[in-house]
Amino acid sequence: MSDYYDDASFSGTRIPFLRRRQVGDALSDTFDFLRHSGREYAVGIIVLVLPIVVLNLVVSVVSVSHTQSMEMLTAMLSGELDPEALGAGPSLGLVALSSVLGLVVFVLMQAATLAYLQRYRNGEAGSIPPGVLWEATKPLLLPVGGVMIATTALVTVLVFANILPCLGQIAFLGGLLFLGPIMWMWPVARVFDAEGLGSAFRRTRTLMKGHWGASLMTVILIMIVVFVLVTLVSVPAIVLAFALGDLMGNVVAVASGALGLLLYPIYGLPVITATLHYFNLVERSEAVDLKRRVDDLDDRDPPANSEGW
């Protein structure tokens, strides 16, 4: 059972942020958050990512019309076919554009989720329409984007380390296990503690001391949940793709894009869980809320002394 050092009446939110949590509590609180504010959160995320998702969908549809079969692509790479005859140039360019748009929408989703959590923590749940959420999201795009670039750089280093003989795989797995929880909470520290990339990384690493196992387990649990939810939402698109095959590729792309909109709030779940776990570590390390409660008790007027017996 978890110890509460914060409550709804004190923080202005239904789900306390500064709370000591055991393994699994952050996940439970994430679903509690969704039960009470999930609709507003999901609508805000979907509205914000919709323009980029639609643009990416158009790029995907055009790309499908230019993409050739795997046999022809293999023949092109082997030098048996002329790339210009395949139209490979436009396809590769569209694929690159689609990848960039995918990264942009991912950053937007993360920033919007953190912006919503900021407003939620301030007690504004129920009054965060998409327009308000967008205004709160804009200042977070660069910080969150910077964390994503830095995270990508770290992962790239680990991948290159994996190429090294003998100790390469050990270094890769060890680095991934150690850095995984830190990278998971890195954007939370960057946004809520308003620090630079380096200081936010050190802040997260310091808070994790003595709690690495619980942090890693929490990461694993939320990723399993996300995998299951994404699989369930993706089943209709997979069935449609198998049923229609190559005959209606554009229809499949459009249907997949429409269903994909439902995935973005799901992709935000690890961000929510990371935020709740991060503040758990803050409370365990610094007892911020407990000290605040003690100060409040000290500020109260002492009871009047009764005279006599």
Side-chain angles (χ1 to χ4, degrees):
M1 189 67 181
S2 301
D3 300 323
Y4 275 87
Y5 291 135
D6 193 5
D7 58 24
S9 61
F10 188 79
S11 66
T13 64
R14 186 177 185 91
I15 307 299
F17 279 40
L18 287 168
R19 170 192 174 188
R20 292 196 175 196
R21 294 178 168 88
Q22 306 299 330
V23 174
D25 286 343
L27 197 61
S28 299
D29 285 346
T30 298
F31 282 103
D32 198 13
F33 166 84
L34 292 177
R35 280 194 296 271
H36 300 103
S37 301
R39 182 176 180 179
E40 181 181 60
Y41 163 72
V43 169
I45 294 296
I46 290 174
V47 170
L48 261 60
V49 303
L50 181 61
I52 301 178
V53 171
V54 170
L55 178 59
N56 201 5
L57 179 60
V58 172
V59 172
S60 299
V61 170
V62 175
S63 180
V64 166
S65 66
H66 283 84
T67 300
Q68 308 298 321
S69 66
M70 287 302 298
E71 291 81 4
M72 295 180 68
L73 183 58
T74 302
M76 180 198 73
L77 295 176
S78 64
E80 297 177 7
L81 287 178
D82 183 6
E84 294 184 0
L86 286 174
S91 295
L92 293 177
L94 291 172
V95 169
L97 177 59
S98 180
S99 300
V100 171
L101 291 174
L103 293 175
V104 170
V105 77
F106 180 77
V107 170
L108 177 58
M109 177 275 300
Q110 275 204 334
T113 300
L114 290 168
Y116 185 91
L117 291 172
Q118 281 184 326
R119 296 280 179 149
Y120 179 91
R121 192 183 181 213
N122 291 335
E124 300 177 34
S127 58
I128 314 176
V132 172
L133 182 59
W134 170 239
E135 291 300 320
T137 299
K138 287 190 291 186
L140 304 184
L141 290 175
L142 285 180
V144 173
V147 172
M148 190 200 72
I149 293 173
T151 301
T152 303
L154 282 178
V155 173
T156 302
V157 171
L158 292 176
V159 170
F160 276 108
N162 189 38
I163 302 175
L164 299 176
C166 298
L167 297 179
Q169 292 184 349
I170 297 177
F172 172 76
L173 290 176
L176 192 61
L177 290 175
F178 175 73
L179 292 174
I182 298 178
M183 293 187 292
W184 175 52
M185 291 183 286
W186 198 356
V188 180
R190 179 67 183 88
V191 167
F192 281 92
D193 283 344
E195 300 176 344
L197 282 175
S199 56
F201 182 90
R202 291 188 296 271
R203 165 80 166 159
T204 307
R205 185 186 60 189
T206 301
L207 291 174
M208 269 187 50
K209 289 181 179 179
H211 306 287
W212 173 84
S215 300
L216 180 62
M217 186 58 65
T218 305
V219 173
I220 293 174
L221 287 175
I222 188 59
M223 289 307 175
I224 291 174
V225 170
V226 169
F227 174 79
V228 172
L229 293 177
V230 168
T231 300
L232 292 176
V233 174
S234 301
V235 164
I238 296 173
V239 172
L240 187 63
F242 273 106
L244 299 179
D246 295 332
L247 296 177
M248 301 182 69
N250 289 346
V251 173
V252 173
V254 172
S256 300
L259 290 171
L261 279 174
L262 301 177
L263 296 178
Y264 288 101
I266 297 176
Y267 292 149
L269 295 186
V271 181
I272 299 171
T273 306
T275 302
L276 296 174
H277 184 68
Y278 177 84
F279 279 98
N280 153 59
L281 298 182
V282 171
E283 182 60 27
R284 287 183 178 275
S285 176
E286 302 169 359
V288 176
D289 194 52
L290 180 59
K291 293 175 182 176
R292 194 162 51 186
R293 285 181 176 275
V294 172
D295 291 340
D296 282 354
L297 289 175
D298 291 340
D299 291 339
R300 295 179 181 177
D301 293 332
N305 293 326
S306 57
E307 298 180 357
W309 296 100

